[in-house]
Amino acid sequence: MEILAFGVQADEKPLLEKAFAGHHDVRCLDVFLDEDTAPIAAGYEAVSTSVNADLNRRVLATLAAGGTRLIAQRSTGFNNIDLDVAERLGLTVARVSSYSPYSVAEFAWTLALAVNRRIVRASNRTRDFDFRLDGLMGRDLRGRTVGVLGTGRIGEAFTRIAHGFGMNLLGWDVARNPACVELGMEYVDKDRLLAEADLISLHVPLVEATHHLVDAAALKAMKDDAILVNSSRGGLVDTEALVTELRAGRFTGVGLDVYEAEAGLFFLDKSLEVVEDDTLARLVTFPNVVVTSHQAYYTVDAVRQIIDTTLQNVLDHVAGRRSENVLVPRAS
């Protein structure tokens, strides 16, 4: 069987081809799956998609009409897929339930440290042989308070690093993680976490209940000199409200690896185009903001795990097996 893989990055392609060799053929495309590209999948029983694919009802209908029976998404998140429609069309949808939590946790800390110590500004200056220290003063993290919203596998990895820095640990989640409690984390309500944390990092999934978890009220509740990091999903933060607070001169720094309107932008070269997203255009102009393009997961270790799991999802589909990675059909 030949699998059609959409949205394959240049670094990812050789890893994907090597993993599938000897099992199934894989055809890699750098374009993302959407309404315009869905017809390409005609005749392919299995397609693999990236997190920036748009699998709405029309895309799913096109896939099903073309003979597709399996959608193997190469990500943990699946908010880009209309699962109800997929189930009605008889499609099987699988994802990667987990991969290296360290890739995302370490990158979240990369963003936090970059904005705290003004690394981007310092690097830009030295490229121009400007070696002044004005405006580059950061803060020690030891003894300060970190607030972790979401303490699953990635949140726990992030917390372990915070513990290594000697920070006070506050957590918020629907359930306590015993490993985080053992590290000294105190679980508190969201309002207290927002009010007390010097650094806040988001590690929750994007579902209806967490959409705009950090909204205008939450942002106003944060310390004026707090650092906010989001390496999870863009929709967790109300970006318009964030811009308003930044314009008021608030926050030591904001590090964003995700953006709620990133589809059609992230993973693409838009350098020669006029970007019509005024909110994003304004966001990247703030000197205390660092925006990266959804790369937190992008380590060779994590990508290999993602690809290996995707291959296993395909093998399971062919063999008629079901695993925890299957989202549709739903377990009865």
Coordinates of all heavy atoms in Angstrom, one line a residue, residues 39-120:
P39 N -8.1 16.7 -3.4 CA -8.3 15.8 -4.5 C -7.0 15.0 -4.9 O -7.1 13.9 -5.5 CB -8.7 16.7 -5.6 CG -9.3 17.9 -4.9 CD -8.5 18.0 -3.7
I40 N -5.9 15.4 -4.5 CA -4.6 14.7 -4.8 C -4.6 13.3 -4.1 O -4.0 12.4 -4.6 CB -3.4 15.5 -4.2 CG1 -3.3 16.9 -4.8 CG2 -2.1 14.8 -4.5 CD1 -2.2 17.8 -4.2
A41 N -5.4 13.2 -3.0 CA -5.4 11.9 -2.3 C -6.3 10.8 -2.9 O -6.4 9.7 -2.4 CB -5.9 12.2 -0.9
A42 N -6.9 11.1 -4.0 CA -7.8 10.2 -4.7 C -7.0 8.9 -5.0 O -5.9 8.9 -5.6 CB -8.4 10.7 -6.0
G43 N -7.5 7.8 -4.6 CA -6.9 6.5 -4.8 C -6.0 6.0 -3.7 O -5.5 4.9 -3.8
Y44 N -5.7 6.8 -2.7 CA -4.9 6.5 -1.6 C -5.8 6.0 -0.4 O -6.6 6.8 0.1 CB -4.0 7.6 -1.2 CG -2.9 8.0 -2.1 CD1 -3.1 8.9 -3.2 CD2 -1.6 7.4 -2.0 CE1 -2.1 9.2 -4.1 CE2 -0.6 7.7 -2.9 CZ -0.8 8.6 -3.9 OH 0.2 8.9 -4.8
E45 N -5.6 4.8 0.0 CA -6.4 4.3 1.1 C -6.0 5.0 2.4 O -6.8 5.2 3.3 CB -6.1 2.8 1.3 CG -6.9 2.2 2.4 CD -6.7 0.7 2.6 OE1 -6.2 0.0 1.6 OE2 -7.1 0.1 3.7
A46 N -4.7 5.3 2.6 CA -4.2 6.0 3.8 C -3.5 7.3 3.5 O -2.7 7.4 2.5 CB -3.3 5.1 4.5
V47 N -3.9 8.3 4.2 CA -3.2 9.6 4.1 C -2.6 9.9 5.5 O -3.2 9.6 6.5 CB -4.0 10.7 3.6 CG1 -4.6 10.4 2.2 CG2 -5.2 11.0 4.5
S48 N -1.5 10.6 5.5 CA -0.9 11.1 6.8 C -0.9 12.6 6.7 O -0.5 13.2 5.7 CB 0.5 10.6 7.0 OG 1.0 11.1 8.2
T49 N -1.3 13.3 7.8 CA -1.5 14.7 7.8 C -0.7 15.3 9.0 O -0.3 14.7 10.0 CB -3.0 15.1 8.0 OG1 -3.5 14.6 9.2 CG2 -3.8 14.6 6.8
S50 N -0.4 16.6 8.9 CA 0.2 17.4 9.9 C -0.8 18.2 10.7 O -1.9 18.3 10.3 CB 1.3 18.3 9.3 OG 0.7 19.2 8.5
V51 N -0.3 18.8 11.8 CA -1.2 19.5 12.7 C -1.9 20.7 12.0 O -2.9 21.2 12.4 CB -0.5 19.9 14.0 CG1 0.5 21.0 13.7 CG2 -1.5 20.4 15.0
N52 N -1.3 21.3 10.9 CA -1.8 22.4 10.3 C -2.7 22.1 9.1 O -3.1 23.0 8.3 CB -0.7 23.4 9.8 CG -0.4 24.5 10.8 OD1 -0.8 24.3 12.0 ND2 0.2 25.5 10.4
A53 N -3.0 20.8 9.0 CA -4.0 20.4 7.9 C -5.4 20.9 8.4 O -5.7 21.1 9.6 CB -4.0 18.9 7.8
D54 N -6.3 21.1 7.4 CA -7.6 21.5 7.7 C -8.6 20.4 7.2 O -8.9 20.3 6.0 CB -8.0 22.8 6.9 CG -9.4 23.3 7.2 OD1 -10.1 22.7 8.1 OD2 -9.8 24.2 6.5
L55 N -9.0 19.5 8.2 CA -9.8 18.4 7.8 C -11.2 18.7 8.2 O -11.8 18.1 9.1 CB -9.3 17.1 8.5 CG -8.1 16.5 7.8 CD1 -6.8 17.1 8.3 CD2 -8.0 15.0 8.1
N56 N -11.8 19.7 7.5 CA -13.2 20.0 7.7 C -14.1 19.0 7.0 O -13.6 18.1 6.3 CB -13.5 21.5 7.3 CG -13.2 21.7 5.9 OD1 -13.5 20.9 5.0 ND2 -12.7 22.9 5.5
R57 N -15.4 19.2 7.1 CA -16.4 18.2 6.5 C -16.2 18.1 5.0 O -16.3 17.0 4.4 CB -17.8 18.6 6.8 CG -18.2 20.0 6.3 CD -19.7 20.3 6.8 NE -20.1 21.6 6.3 CZ -20.6 21.9 5.1 NH1 -20.6 20.9 4.2 NH2 -20.9 23.1 4.7
R58 N -15.9 19.2 4.3 CA -15.7 19.1 2.8 C -14.4 18.3 2.5 O -14.4 17.5 1.5 CB -15.7 20.5 2.2 CG -17.0 21.2 2.3 CD -17.0 22.6 1.7 NE -16.2 23.5 2.4 CZ -16.6 24.2 3.5 NH1 -17.9 24.1 3.9 NH2 -15.8 25.0 4.1
V59 N -13.3 18.6 3.2 CA -12.1 17.9 3.0 C -12.3 16.4 3.2 O -11.9 15.5 2.5 CB -11.0 18.4 3.8 CG1 -9.7 17.5 3.8 CG2 -10.6 19.8 3.4
L60 N -13.0 16.1 4.3 CA -13.2 14.7 4.7 C -14.1 14.0 3.7 O -13.8 12.8 3.3 CB -13.8 14.6 6.1 CG -12.9 15.0 7.3 CD1 -13.7 15.1 8.5 CD2 -11.8 14.0 7.4
A61 N -15.1 14.7 3.2 CA -16.0 14.1 2.2 C -15.2 13.8 0.9 O -15.4 12.8 0.2 CB -17.1 15.0 1.9
T62 N -14.3 14.7 0.5 CA -13.4 14.5 -0.7 C -12.5 13.3 -0.5 O -12.4 12.5 -1.4 CB -12.6 15.7 -1.0 OG1 -13.4 16.9 -1.2 CG2 -11.7 15.5 -2.2
L63 N -11.9 13.2 0.7 CA -11.1 12.0 1.0 C -11.8 10.7 0.9 O -11.4 9.7 0.2 CB -10.4 12.1 2.3 CG -9.4 13.3 2.5 CD1 -8.9 13.3 4.0 CD2 -8.2 13.1 1.6
A64 N -13.0 10.7 1.5 CA -13.8 9.5 1.5 C -14.3 9.1 0.1 O -14.2 7.9 -0.3 CB -15.0 9.6 2.5
A65 N -14.7 10.1 -0.7 CA -15.1 9.8 -2.0 C -14.0 9.3 -2.9 O -14.2 8.5 -3.9 CB -15.7 11.1 -2.6
G66 N -12.7 9.7 -2.6 CA -11.6 9.2 -3.3 C -11.0 7.9 -2.9 O -10.0 7.4 -3.5
G67 N -11.6 7.3 -1.9 CA -11.2 5.9 -1.5 C -10.4 5.9 -0.2 O -9.9 4.8 0.2
T68 N -10.1 7.0 0.4 CA -9.3 7.0 1.7 C -10.1 6.4 2.8 O -11.3 6.7 2.9 CB -9.0 8.5 2.0 OG1 -8.1 9.0 1.0 CG2 -8.2 8.5 3.4
R69 N -9.5 5.6 3.6 CA -10.1 4.9 4.7 C -9.4 5.2 6.0 O -10.0 5.0 7.1 CB -10.2 3.4 4.5 CG -11.1 3.0 3.3 CD -12.5 3.4 3.7 NE -13.4 3.1 2.5 CZ -13.8 4.1 1.7 NH1 -13.4 5.3 1.8 NH2 -14.6 3.8 0.7
L70 N -8.1 5.7 6.0 CA -7.4 6.0 7.2 C -6.7 7.4 7.1 O -6.1 7.7 6.1 CB -6.3 4.9 7.4 CG -5.2 5.3 8.5 CD1 -5.9 5.2 9.9 CD2 -4.0 4.3 8.4
I71 N -6.9 8.1 8.1 CA -6.2 9.4 8.3 C -5.3 9.2 9.5 O -5.7 9.0 10.6 CB -7.1 10.6 8.5 CG1 -8.0 10.8 7.3 CG2 -6.3 11.9 8.8 CD1 -9.2 11.7 7.6
A72 N -3.9 9.2 9.3 CA -3.0 9.1 10.3 C -2.3 10.4 10.6 O -1.4 10.8 9.8 CB -1.9 8.0 9.9
Q73 N -2.7 11.1 11.6 CA -2.2 12.4 11.9 C -0.9 12.4 12.6 O -0.8 11.6 13.6 CB -3.2 13.3 12.6 CG -2.7 14.7 13.0 CD -3.7 15.8 12.7 OE1 -4.2 15.9 11.6 NE2 -4.0 16.5 13.8
R74 N 0.1 13.1 12.2 CA 1.4 13.1 12.8 C 1.5 14.1 13.9 O 2.4 15.0 13.9 CB 2.5 13.3 11.8 CG 2.5 12.3 10.7 CD 3.7 12.4 9.7 NE 3.9 13.7 9.2 CZ 3.3 14.3 8.2 NH1 2.3 13.6 7.6 NH2 3.5 15.5 7.8
S75 N 0.6 14.1 14.9 CA 0.6 15.0 16.0 C -0.2 14.5 17.1 O -1.0 13.6 16.9 CB 0.1 16.4 15.5 OG -1.3 16.4 15.3
T76 N -0.1 15.1 18.3 CA -1.0 14.7 19.4 C -2.3 15.5 19.3 O -3.4 14.9 19.5 CB -0.3 15.1 20.7 OG1 1.0 14.4 20.8 CG2 -1.1 14.8 21.9
G77 N -2.2 16.8 18.9 CA -3.5 17.5 18.8 C -4.3 17.1 17.6 O -3.8 16.6 16.6
F78 N -5.6 17.2 17.7 CA -6.5 16.8 16.6 C -7.7 17.8 16.5 O -8.7 17.4 15.9 CB -7.0 15.4 16.8 CG -7.6 15.2 18.2 CD1 -9.0 15.4 18.4 CD2 -6.9 14.7 19.3 CE1 -9.6 15.1 19.6 CE2 -7.4 14.5 20.5 CZ -8.8 14.7 20.7
N79 N -7.6 19.0 17.0 CA -8.7 20.0 16.9 C -8.9 20.5 15.5 O -9.9 21.2 15.2 CB -8.4 21.2 17.9 CG -7.0 21.8 17.6 OD1 -6.0 21.3 17.9 ND2 -7.1 23.0 17.0
N80 N -8.0 20.1 14.6 CA -8.2 20.4 13.2 C -9.0 19.4 12.4 O -9.2 19.6 11.2 CB -6.8 20.6 12.5 CG -6.0 19.3 12.6 OD1 -6.0 18.6 13.6 ND2 -5.3 19.0 11.5
I81 N -9.5 18.4 13.1 CA -10.2 17.3 12.4 C -11.7 17.3 12.9 O -11.9 17.3 14.1 CB -9.6 15.9 12.7 CG1 -8.1 16.0 12.3 CG2 -10.3 14.9 11.9 CD1 -7.4 14.7 12.7
D82 N -12.7 17.3 12.0 CA -14.1 17.1 12.4 C -14.3 15.6 12.6 O -14.7 14.9 11.7 CB -15.0 17.7 11.3 CG -16.4 17.8 11.8 OD1 -16.9 17.0 12.6 OD2 -17.1 18.8 11.3
L83 N -14.2 15.2 13.8 CA -14.3 13.8 14.2 C -15.7 13.2 13.9 O -15.8 12.1 13.5 CB -13.8 13.5 15.6 CG -12.4 13.9 15.9 CD1 -12.1 13.5 17.4 CD2 -11.4 13.1 15.0
D84 N -16.7 14.0 14.2 CA -18.1 13.6 14.0 C -18.3 13.2 12.5 O -18.9 12.2 12.2 CB -19.1 14.6 14.4 CG -19.1 14.8 16.0 OD1 -18.7 13.8 16.7 OD2 -19.4 15.9 16.4
V85 N -17.9 14.1 11.6 CA -18.0 13.9 10.2 C -17.2 12.7 9.8 O -17.7 11.8 9.0 CB -17.6 15.1 9.4 CG1 -17.6 14.8 7.9 CG2 -18.6 16.3 9.7
A86 N -16.0 12.6 10.3 CA -15.1 11.4 9.9 C -15.8 10.1 10.3 O -15.8 9.2 9.5 CB -13.8 11.6 10.6
E87 N -16.4 10.1 11.4 CA -17.1 8.8 11.9 C -18.3 8.5 11.0 O -18.5 7.4 10.6 CB -17.5 9.0 13.3 CG -18.0 7.7 13.9 CD -18.0 7.6 15.4 OE1 -18.2 8.7 16.0 OE2 -17.7 6.6 16.0
R88 N -19.1 9.6 10.6 CA -20.2 9.3 9.7 C -19.8 8.8 8.4 O -20.5 8.0 7.7 CB -21.0 10.6 9.6 CG -21.8 11.0 10.8 CD -22.9 12.0 10.5 NE -22.5 13.2 9.9 CZ -22.1 14.3 10.6 NH1 -22.2 14.3 11.9 NH2 -21.7 15.4 9.9
L89 N -18.6 9.2 7.9 CA -18.1 8.8 6.6 C -17.4 7.5 6.7 O -17.0 7.0 5.6 CB -17.2 9.9 6.1 CG -17.8 11.2 5.7 CD1 -16.7 12.3 5.4 CD2 -18.7 11.0 4.5
G90 N -17.3 6.9 7.8 CA -16.6 5.6 8.0 C -15.1 5.7 7.9 O -14.4 4.7 7.6
L91 N -14.5 6.8 8.2 CA -13.1 7.0 8.2 C -12.5 6.6 9.5 O -13.1 6.9 10.6 CB -12.7 8.4 7.8 CG -13.1 9.0 6.5 CD1 -12.9 10.5 6.4 CD2 -12.2 8.3 5.4
T92 N -11.3 6.0 9.5 CA -10.6 5.8 10.7 C -9.6 6.9 10.9 O -8.9 7.3 9.9 CB -9.8 4.4 10.7 OG1 -10.7 3.4 10.6 CG2 -8.9 4.2 11.9
V93 N -9.5 7.5 12.1 CA -8.6 8.6 12.4 C -7.8 8.2 13.5 O -8.3 7.8 14.6 CB -9.4 9.9 12.7 CG1 -8.4 11.0 13.0 CG2 -10.3 10.3 11.6
A94 N -6.5 8.3 13.3 CA -5.5 8.0 14.4 C -4.5 9.1 14.6 O -4.3 9.9 13.6 CB -4.8 6.7 14.1
R95 N -4.0 9.3 15.8 CA -3.0 10.3 16.0 C -1.8 9.7 16.8 O -1.8 8.5 17.0 CB -3.7 11.4 16.9 CG -4.1 10.8 18.3 CD -4.3 11.9 19.3 NE -4.8 11.3 20.6 CZ -4.7 12.0 21.7 NH1 -4.2 13.2 21.8 NH2 -5.2 11.4 22.8
V96 N -0.9 10.6 17.2 CA 0.2 10.2 18.0 C -0.1 10.6 19.4 O -0.1 11.8 19.7 CB 1.5 10.8 17.5 CG1 2.7 10.5 18.4 CG2 1.8 10.4 16.1
S97 N -0.5 9.6 20.3 CA -0.9 10.0 21.6 C 0.1 10.7 22.4 O -0.2 11.5 23.3 CB -1.4 8.7 22.3 OG -2.5 8.1 21.7
S98 N 1.4 10.3 22.2 CA 2.5 10.9 23.0 C 3.8 10.8 22.3 O 4.0 9.9 21.5 CB 2.6 10.3 24.4 OG 2.9 8.9 24.3
Y99 N 4.7 11.7 22.6 CA 6.1 11.6 22.1 C 6.9 12.3 23.1 O 6.4 12.7 24.2 CB 6.2 12.2 20.7 CG 5.7 13.6 20.5 CD1 6.6 14.7 20.8 CD2 4.4 13.9 20.1 CE1 6.1 16.0 20.7 CE2 4.0 15.2 20.0 CZ 4.8 16.3 20.3 OH 4.4 17.5 20.2
S100 N 8.2 12.5 22.8 CA 9.1 13.1 23.8 C 8.5 14.3 24.5 O 8.4 15.4 23.8 CB 10.4 13.4 23.2 OG 11.2 14.2 24.0
P101 N 8.2 14.3 25.7 CA 7.7 15.5 26.4 C 8.8 16.5 26.6 O 8.6 17.7 26.8 CB 7.2 15.0 27.7 CG 8.0 13.8 28.0 CD 8.2 13.2 26.7
Y102 N 10.1 16.0 26.5 CA 11.2 16.9 26.8 C 11.4 17.9 25.7 O 11.9 19.0 25.9 CB 12.5 16.1 27.0 CG 12.2 15.0 28.0 CD1 12.2 13.6 27.6 CD2 12.1 15.2 29.3 CE1 11.9 12.6 28.5 CE2 11.8 14.2 30.3 CZ 11.7 12.9 29.8 OH 11.5 11.9 30.7
S103 N 11.1 17.5 24.4 CA 11.2 18.4 23.3 C 10.4 19.7 23.5 O 11.0 20.8 23.4 CB 10.8 17.8 22.0 OG 9.4 17.4 22.1
V104 N 9.2 19.6 23.9 CA 8.3 20.8 24.1 C 8.7 21.5 25.4 O 8.8 22.7 25.5 CB 6.9 20.4 24.1 CG1 6.0 21.6 24.4 CG2 6.5 19.7 22.8
A105 N 8.9 20.7 26.5 CA 9.3 21.4 27.8 C 10.6 22.2 27.7 O 10.6 23.3 28.2 CB 9.4 20.3 28.9
E106 N 11.6 21.6 27.0 CA 12.8 22.3 26.9 C 12.7 23.5 26.0 O 13.3 24.6 26.3 CB 13.9 21.3 26.3 CG 14.3 20.2 27.3 CD 15.2 19.2 26.7 OE1 15.6 19.3 25.5 OE2 15.5 18.2 27.3
F107 N 11.9 23.4 25.0 CA 11.7 24.6 24.2 C 10.9 25.7 24.9 O 11.2 26.9 24.7 CB 11.0 24.2 22.9 CG 11.0 25.3 21.8 CD1 12.1 25.4 21.0 CD2 10.0 26.2 21.7 CE1 12.2 26.4 20.0 CE2 10.1 27.2 20.7 CZ 11.2 27.3 19.9
A108 N 9.9 25.3 25.7 CA 9.2 26.3 26.5 C 10.2 27.1 27.4 O 10.1 28.3 27.5 CB 8.2 25.6 27.3
W109 N 11.2 26.4 27.9 CA 12.2 27.0 28.7 C 13.1 27.9 27.9 O 13.6 28.9 28.3 CB 13.0 26.0 29.6 CG 12.3 25.7 30.9 CD1 11.6 24.6 31.3 CD2 12.2 26.7 32.0 NE1 11.1 24.8 32.5 CE2 11.5 26.0 33.0 CE3 12.7 27.9 32.2 CZ2 11.2 26.6 34.2 CZ3 12.4 28.6 33.4 CH2 11.7 27.9 34.4
T110 N 13.4 27.4 26.7 CA 14.1 28.2 25.7 C 13.5 29.6 25.5 O 14.2 30.6 25.6 CB 14.3 27.5 24.4 OG1 15.0 26.3 24.6 CG2 15.1 28.4 23.4
L111 N 12.2 29.6 25.3 CA 11.4 30.8 25.1 C 11.5 31.7 26.4 O 11.7 32.9 26.3 CB 10.0 30.6 24.7 CG 9.8 30.0 23.3 CD1 8.3 29.6 23.2 CD2 10.2 31.0 22.3
A112 N 11.3 31.1 27.5 CA 11.3 31.8 28.8 C 12.6 32.5 29.1 O 12.7 33.7 29.5 CB 10.9 30.8 30.0
L113 N 13.7 31.7 28.8 CA 15.0 32.3 29.1 C 15.3 33.4 28.0 O 16.0 34.4 28.3 CB 16.0 31.2 29.0 CG 15.9 30.2 30.2 CD1 16.9 29.0 29.9 CD2 16.3 30.8 31.5
A114 N 14.9 33.2 26.8 CA 15.2 34.1 25.7 C 14.6 35.5 26.0 O 15.2 36.5 25.9 CB 14.7 33.6 24.4
V115 N 13.3 35.5 26.5 CA 12.6 36.8 26.8 C 13.1 37.4 28.1 O 13.2 38.6 28.2 CB 11.1 36.7 26.8 CG1 10.6 36.3 25.4 CG2 10.6 35.7 27.8
N116 N 13.5 36.5 29.1 CA 14.0 37.0 30.3 C 15.3 37.7 30.2 O 15.6 38.8 30.8 CB 14.1 35.9 31.4 CG 14.6 36.4 32.7 OD1 14.2 37.4 33.2 ND2 15.5 35.6 33.3
R117 N 16.2 37.1 29.4 CA 17.6 37.6 29.3 C 17.8 38.4 28.0 O 18.9 38.7 27.6 CB 18.6 36.5 29.4 CG 18.5 35.7 30.7 CD 18.6 36.6 31.9 NE 19.9 37.3 32.0 CZ 21.0 36.9 32.6 NH1 20.9 35.7 33.2 NH2 22.1 37.6 32.6
R118 N 16.7 38.7 27.2 CA 16.7 39.5 26.0 C 17.7 39.0 25.0 O 18.5 39.8 24.4 CB 17.1 41.0 26.4 CG 16.6 41.5 27.7 CD 15.1 41.6 27.7 NE 14.6 42.4 28.8 CZ 13.4 42.4 29.3 NH1 12.5 41.5 28.8 NH2 13.0 43.2 30.3
I119 N 17.7 37.7 24.8 CA 18.7 37.1 23.9 C 18.5 37.5 22.5 O 19.6 37.8 21.8 CB 18.5 35.5 24.0 CG1 18.8 35.0 25.4 CG2 19.4 34.8 23.0 CD1 20.2 35.3 25.9
V120 N 17.3 37.6 22.0 CA 17.1 38.0 20.6 C 17.7 39.5 20.3 O 18.4 39.7 19.4 CB 15.7 37.9 20.1 CG1 15.5 38.5 18.7 CG2 15.2 36.5 20.2

